[in-house]
């Protein structure tokens, strides 16, 4: 069976990570966990940092490092990313840096192959360049010398450079995208790329910078006077990190079964330049590209260079890691932009996490303690409610359907609906009355709630792993939740019903999500 290979973009290390980066990363992490735990699949999740180029060189100088000391500068920033990923419980399998030797060697090799194949040539480049975006623009794309994307002032370039002949692959690329051999989702992004490719003739890609202007990059192997354009360098990480040069077996087990998760700002690089580099190399283009929207503040994209960023640590310190993960994954549908503001965050926290989920866990476990001395009651076979049982067993399948194309908003709605059902079930059955009137019925109700909670914990694990683990442990489960493998798409899957056996001693803990009152903890 092929592994599922999932990648995040490589983050620029010109400053600390913000909520936008945290979002891309959490989306990847949830997908990787879902695949591992709920689909029982073999997954490889790779992330890392993009460390060369003009933007990083300038940031190093600004931070007081001298020319030639860029590596020292980036070495100081990379741990900030790694620490944040650890805090956010992002469970990657490999972290690649574009300054790693194997990556640099791979980029050199790719350049050599393409050069030998006659795909690279030299000419004078006249056009525009945006340093914060690290992008080239033609005259036709530019109005009044400002960047069409970020609206900042552009540099005018007039210099000799190396170019990669991408224009000859235009038709082949269109075919790949049209028939979903390169699957781009959501549709709006697929259509955006197709319409761009159908309306414009592709311009060959400038892939070098003269050393006299930029030294911080991977030297072009056949011309010591140039370094590689940072995007050409960075995209190659997706193959350099999985053994393209040094571990062909690993490479063949992962490529091209990849899902690249990216923000909409870097669509063209991934849907046009990257597949063409691969086609020119004689390799298969990537299988899929998942394109998310932006987190916006005051109508503008949150971005380091604009200085309007939200620090993830503020939210994790104040409200907890899973509260942030939950908000990011459930506040907008995958592919849409979202406005980030604290009031919305608090409302979602209070409604979904404190009122619905937190209450359900707390009430259920309190009743197990109160009525059964903390021991999960026994029910007779004939008393099993088949409707509740099958609804619980169907949950992972429904979740998987809703989660198609990384739509965590829909997936979490499925979970939330079941939480809502369980809370209503408690109201309807009124166990506090049954405790006085009918012990057999009380046992059934509590048993059903305990099984539902266990199933919910498993379903929530990819999205809010810490909380899921806590619910699991409070239910008295000894095996780590991370070790539970479940195939939602198999008929013969292990049943989600009856996971917590009768007689299990639960161990109720602190409330999972204390309500937040006016922005402060209660
Ligand atoms: N270094 C390139 C990617 C190279 S991949 C071979 C880059 N880096 S970045 O640090 O600027 O952005 C990394 C990711 O963070 C991108 O997917 C980008 O879309 C995402 N985000 C950056 N700001 C964002 C928001 N405000 N909102 C959501 N995601 C955003 O691009």
């Amino acid at each position: 069976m092929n592994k599922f290979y999932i990648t995040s973009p490589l983050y620029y290390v010109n400053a600390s990570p913000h909520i936008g980066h945290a979002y891309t990363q959490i989306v990847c992490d949830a997908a990787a966990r879902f695949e591992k735990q709920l689909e029982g699949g073999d997954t490889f999740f790779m992330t890392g940092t993009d460390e060369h180029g003009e933007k990083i060189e300038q940031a190093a100088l600004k931070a007081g490092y001298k020319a030639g000391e860029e590596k020292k500068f980036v070495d100081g920033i990379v741990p900030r990313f790694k620490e944040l990923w650890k805090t956010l419980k992002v469970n990657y399998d490999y972290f690649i840096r574009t300054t790693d030797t194997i990556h640099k060697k791979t980029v050199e090799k790719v350049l050599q192959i393409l050069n030998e194949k006659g795909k690279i040539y030299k000419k004078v480049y006249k056009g525009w360049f945006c340093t914060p975006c690290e992008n080239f623009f033609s005259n036709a794309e530019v109005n009044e010398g400002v960047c069409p994307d970020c609206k900042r002032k552009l540099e005018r370039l007039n210099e000799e450079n190396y170019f990669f002949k991408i224009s000859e692959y235009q038709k082949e690329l269109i075919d790949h995208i049209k028939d979903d051999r390169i699957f781009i989702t959501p549709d709006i992004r697929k259509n955006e790329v197709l319409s761009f490719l159908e309306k414009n003739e592709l311009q060959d890609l400038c892939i070098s910078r003269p050393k006299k202007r930029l030294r911080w990059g991977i030297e072009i192997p056949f011309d010591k006077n140039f370094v590689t354009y940072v995007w050409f360098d960075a995209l190659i990480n997706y193959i350099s990190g999985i053994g393209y040069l040094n571990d062909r077996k690993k490479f063949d087990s992962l490529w091209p079964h990849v899902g690249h998760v990216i923000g909409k700002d870097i669509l063209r690089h991934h849907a046009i330049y990257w597949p063409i580099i691969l086609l020119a190399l004689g390799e298969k283009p990537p299988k899929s590209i998942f394109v998310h929207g932006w987190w916006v503040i005051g109508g503008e994209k949150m971005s380091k260079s604009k200085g309007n960023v939200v620090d993830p640590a503020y939210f994790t310190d104040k409200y907890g890691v899973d509260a942030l993960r939950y908000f990011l994954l459930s506040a907008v549908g995958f592919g849409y932009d979202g406005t980030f503001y604290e009031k919305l965050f608090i409302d979602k926290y209070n409604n979904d996490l404190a009122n619905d989920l937190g209450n359900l866990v707390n009430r259920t476990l309190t009743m197990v303690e109160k009525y059964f001395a903390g021991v999960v009651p026994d029910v007779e076979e004939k008393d099993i409610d088949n409707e509740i049982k099958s609804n619980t067993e169907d949950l992972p399948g429904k979740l998987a359907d809703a989660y198609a194309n990384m739509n965590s908003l829909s997936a979490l709605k499925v979970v939330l609906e079941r939480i809502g059902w369980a809370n209503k079930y408690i109201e309807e059955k009124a166990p506090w009355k049954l405790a006085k009137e009918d012990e057999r019925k009380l046992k059934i109700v509590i048993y059903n709630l305990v099984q539902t909670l266990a199933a919910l914990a498993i379903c929530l694990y990819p999205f809010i792993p810490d909380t899921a683990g806590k619910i699991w442990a409070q239910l008295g489960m000894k095996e780590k939740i991370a070790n539970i493998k479940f195939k939602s798409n198999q008929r013969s899957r292990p049943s989600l019903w009856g996971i917590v056996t009768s007689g299990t001693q639960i161990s109720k803990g602190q409330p999972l999500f204390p309500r937040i009152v006016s922005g402060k903890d209660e």
Side-chain angles (χ1 to χ4, degrees):
M1 193 186 82
N2 289 320
K3 284 193 179 190
F4 175 60
Y5 172 35
I6 182 159
T7 66
S8 81
L10 297 194
Y11 302 93
Y12 284 129
V13 285
N14 54 328
S16 298
H18 61 69
I19 289 281
H21 306 125
Y23 177 64
T24 311
Q25 202 68 337
I26 289 170
V27 165
C28 292
D29 180 64
R33 283 177 189 267
F34 188 87
E35 196 68 25
K36 275 181 198 162
Q37 252 70 47
L38 279 139
E39 300 293 2
D42 207 352
T43 309
F44 187 77
F45 167 21
M46 189 167 84
T47 188
T49 38
D50 191 351
E51 305 185 12
H52 292 123
E54 204 167 326
K55 178 181 171 122
I56 310 292
E57 187 182 75
Q58 285 181 4
L61 291 175
K62 208 168 151 199
Y65 289 82
K66 295 193 196 71
E69 290 182 339
E70 293 83 2
K71 180 67 167 51
K72 253 199 223 162
F73 168 70
V74 296
D75 282 349
I77 306 269
V78 170
R80 296 193 206 166
F81 281 82
K82 288 192 171 170
E83 271 156 33
L84 179 63
W85 304 153
K86 201 167 161 202
T87 305
L88 295 175
K89 299 283 149 77
V90 172
N91 227 346
Y92 51 80
D93 296 292
Y94 189 64
F95 192 101
I96 185 163
R97 299 179 55 177
T98 54
T99 49
D100 288 345
T101 309
I102 186 65
H103 174 76
K104 291 197 270 186
K105 283 197 172 147
T106 311
V107 172
E108 284 165 7
K109 180 76 185 170
V110 166
L111 283 165
Q112 255 156 1
I113 297 175
L114 296 181
N115 195 38
E116 278 157 22
K117 287 188 168 189
K119 305 291 178 198
I120 290 175
Y121 65 99
K122 207 175 184 186
K123 73 167 182 189
V124 171
Y125 175 75
K126 279 192 200 147
W128 300 94
F129 187 73
C130 176
T131 307
C133 297
E134 292 277 12
N135 275 336
F136 295 98
F137 295 100
S138 66
N139 281 339
E141 290 172 296
V142 172
N143 227 335
E144 295 178 7
V146 295
C147 171
D149 290 340
C150 74
K151 314 285 175 231
R152 277 167 288 199
K153 215 168 162 288
L154 292 168
E155 271 179 79
R156 181 83 196 153
L157 298 186
N158 184 350
E159 62 191 24
E160 206 170 34
N161 266 312
Y162 284 95
F163 282 75
F164 171 38
K165 289 185 189 168
I166 61 172
S167 41
E168 55 187 64
Y169 294 92
Q170 186 150 357
K171 165 86 179 61
E172 199 175 341
L173 181 63
I174 292 174
D175 291 345
H176 270 83
I177 297 175
K178 261 197 180 150
D179 63 20
D180 292 335
R181 268 174 289 160
I182 301 174
F183 173 71
I184 302 176
T185 187
D187 274 353
I188 177 183
R189 300 297 161 213
K190 171 179 172 177
N191 296 336
E192 179 186 324
V193 179
L194 278 177
S195 108
F196 177 82
L197 286 169
E198 276 160 355
K199 283 190 200 135
N200 299 281
E201 206 176 304
L202 279 181
Q203 303 294 310
D204 288 341
L205 181 68
C206 178
I207 56 161
S208 70
R209 312 306 307 275
K211 265 196 188 162
K212 60 180 183 318
R213 287 214 315 109
L214 175 74
R215 299 197 68 84
W216 181 232
I218 300 174
E219 199 172 86
I220 299 270
F222 42 86
D223 191 337
K224 307 283 171 229
N225 296 317
F226 291 85
V227 293
T228 313
Y229 168 45
V230 64
W231 264 105
F232 190 89
D233 158 357
L235 286 164
I236 289 169
N237 93 84
Y238 297 130
I239 59 172
S240 69
I242 57 165
Y244 178 72
L245 204 60
N246 59 341
D247 188 349
R248 201 65 204 190
K249 204 165 151 227
K250 181 172 181 185
F251 178 78
D252 288 338
S253 76
L254 293 171
W255 197 262
H257 325 285
V258 67
H260 293 310
V261 176
I262 57 165
K264 63 181 183 180
D265 46 324
I266 53 176
L267 177 60
R268 261 188 223 178
H269 308 82
H270 284 81
I272 298 179
Y273 307 150
W274 177 226
I276 290 182
I277 294 174
L278 289 157
L279 289 171
L281 277 175
E283 298 293 341
K284 293 213 170 77
K287 271 245 152 72
S288 35
I289 305 178
F290 298 91
V291 192
H292 66 70
W294 284 341
W295 286 97
V296 173
I297 292 257
E300 279 203 82
K301 180 190 175 220
M302 195 188 296
S303 109
K304 284 175 285 198
S305 355
K306 282 186 203 150
N308 61 348
V309 297
V310 174
D311 179 4
Y314 169 85
F315 283 87
T316 55
D317 289 352
K318 205 165 166 190
Y319 306 116
V321 171
D322 278 352
L324 179 63
R325 287 181 64 116
Y326 182 80
F327 178 76
L328 293 175
L329 292 170
S330 68
V332 290
F334 187 80
Y336 291 92
D337 286 352
T339 303
F340 198 98
Y341 58 101
E342 199 164 354
K343 167 85 174 63
L344 191 68
F345 185 103
I346 293 172
D347 285 351
K348 269 197 92 53
Y349 174 105
N350 279 340
N351 290 335
D352 300 358
L353 298 176
N355 286 3
D356 293 354
L357 176 63
N359 255 342
L360 175 65
V361 175
N362 196 41
R363 287 161 100 188
T364 304
L365 298 184
T366 301
M367 291 191 287
V368 179
E369 278 190 336
K370 188 166 169 193
Y371 303 130
F372 300 104
V375 176
V376 176
D378 205 359
V379 291
E380 288 183 39
E381 193 61 31
K382 68 173 173 43
D383 285 335
I384 299 232
D385 183 323
N386 281 322
E387 195 184 328
I388 297 178
K389 181 179 172 213
S390 70
N391 279 338
T392 309
E393 287 182 319
D394 287 350
L395 208 53
K398 280 193 191 150
L399 188 75
D401 288 347
Y403 194 38
N405 301 338
M406 302 220 174
N407 198 342
S408 52
L409 169 64
S410 301
L412 286 165
K413 262 193 199 151
V414 168
V415 179
L416 216 58
E417 260 167 42
R418 201 63 195 154
I419 294 172
W421 168 84
N423 276 321
K424 225 168 97 212
Y425 180 72
I426 296 179
E427 295 309 316
E428 277 169 18
K429 297 293 171 189
W432 46 93
K433 280 192 199 153
L434 294 176
K436 291 180 202 141
E437 297 161 5
D438 190 334
E439 182 169 15
R440 188 178 69 90
K441 280 195 185 151
L442 176 68
K443 278 185 176 176
I444 298 169
V445 170
I446 300 299
Y447 183 84
N448 287 344
L449 287 168
V450 166
Q451 301 311 333
T452 302
L453 267 191
L456 286 169
I458 289 184
C459 290
L460 281 169
Y461 178 77
F463 310 103
I464 46 173
D466 254 12
T467 304
K470 280 185 194 157
I471 300 172
W472 192 249
Q474 291 188 23
L475 286 168
M477 302 303 284
K478 296 285 175 270
E479 168 131 40
K480 275 190 166 175
I481 192 166
N483 296 338
I484 307 293
K485 299 267 178 189
F486 195 87
K487 283 191 172 28
S488 67
N489 56 355
Q490 278 197 359
R491 286 195 165 273
S492 60
R493 64 197 178 206
S495 171
L496 256 195
W497 186 257
I499 283 191
V500 190
T501 48
S502 301
T504 302
Q505 176 76 47
I506 62 137
S507 92
K508 184 169 163 272
Q510 295 297 311
L512 295 171
F513 296 102
R515 265 189 81 77
I516 302 165
V517 177
S518 334
K520 293 195 186 76
D521 293 353
E522 243 174 346

